[in-house]
Amino acid sequence: MIPKAKTTLALVLSTVITLASCTHPVYLPSLYPAPGFTLTNQNGQVVELAHFRGKVIVMDFVYTRCPDVCGQLNYELQGIWHQLKEELRQDLVLISISFDLYDTPEVLKQYATFYDVPGWQFLTGTKEQIQQVTSDYGVGYEIKTAGANQTHASSHSVEFIHNSSVVLIDREGTVRKTYGGPELPVKD
């Protein structure tokens, strides 16, 4: 992973630890209320963002066929989770939202087996739901390769041009920090 991205993920780690810990308050600006969504997880269950109120949320946007940054980002988030003390882990939820319609709950369930984090939510939805949530959180993506008659939901050779985004949401449902861009520079 790019050194700047590792530095930014280290900042995510320290911010998560601080937000999850009641004993060490930190000031991060309240950017805006986290836009709600209803999607489907890797187990076929309907999941709403509001279900996680009271927890610190680290959310990213990925697709399972990504040849590089998505898997690296999720392994880094897994590493952050493993570095936390058990009591802090209980206050943290990791959410990965796929913007690729190929990523059905079944595909996401298989993908989830690569990551050893209990409760990690891998989410998908309809084209309209995904467009709404990615728009709400400022995530850009577009199909890089696809034949004229292929849909990205069925093609096995599709790649996306996309930015990397990690969103930090506090217990009250407020976005406190967004890390984004190809090298995860901070955007507020």
Side-chain angles (χ1 to χ4, degrees):
M1 183 169 270
I2 302 166
K4 188 173 182 180
K6 285 189 176 196
T7 301
T8 302
L9 284 171
L11 290 171
V12 171
L13 171 62
S14 65
T15 304
V16 167
I17 290 171
T18 305
L19 282 178
S21 171
C22 296
T23 59
H24 298 94
V26 65
Y27 175 76
L28 284 176
S30 295
L31 299 180
Y32 54 91
F37 56 77
T38 302
L39 296 170
T40 303
N41 74 7
Q42 71 268 27
N43 297 314
Q45 300 168 322
V46 174
V47 172
E48 296 180 29
L49 181 63
H51 291 161
F52 303 107
R53 191 63 54 94
K55 302 273 187 184
V56 174
I57 298 167
V58 176
M59 183 169 66
D60 68 350
F61 296 83
V62 299
Y63 71 108
T64 63
R65 299 180 290 175
C66 182
D68 47 40
V69 69
C70 298
Q72 291 173 354
L73 178 59
N74 280 345
Y75 276 116
E76 291 290 331
L77 291 176
Q78 174 181 259
I80 289 169
W81 187 87
H82 282 290
Q83 292 177 42
L84 295 174
K85 293 180 182 178
E86 181 61 35
E87 60 271 13
L88 298 179
R89 290 179 186 173
Q90 295 173 10
D91 285 338
L92 177 65
V93 175
L94 298 179
I95 297 176
S96 292
I97 298 175
S98 175
F99 46 80
D100 184 355
L101 296 180
Y102 169 84
D103 291 338
T104 62
E106 296 78 19
V107 171
L108 291 174
K109 188 170 191 145
Q110 179 63 34
Y111 185 73
T113 64
F114 295 114
Y115 304 100
D116 179 30
V117 176
W120 193 330
Q121 299 292 306
F122 292 89
L123 305 179
T124 188
T126 65
K127 180 179 180 179
E128 294 77 19
Q129 288 172 312
I130 297 304
Q131 287 175 339
Q132 184 65 55
V133 74
T134 54
S135 174
D136 287 347
Y137 287 94
V139 176
Y141 65 96
E142 64 183 64
I143 296 174
K144 179 179 176 184
T145 57
N149 296 324
Q150 292 179 320
T151 64
H152 68 277
S154 62
S155 171
H156 291 287
S157 62
V158 170
E159 289 186 39
F160 288 86
I161 299 169
H162 64 95
N163 63 332
S164 299
S165 290
V166 178
V167 180
L168 185 62
I169 302 171
D170 70 15
R171 288 181 181 89
E172 289 75 41
T174 302
V175 174
R176 300 300 293 271
K177 197 74 165 167
T178 298
Y179 304 90
E183 296 181 340
L184 291 176
V186 175
K187 70 173 186 178
D188 287 330

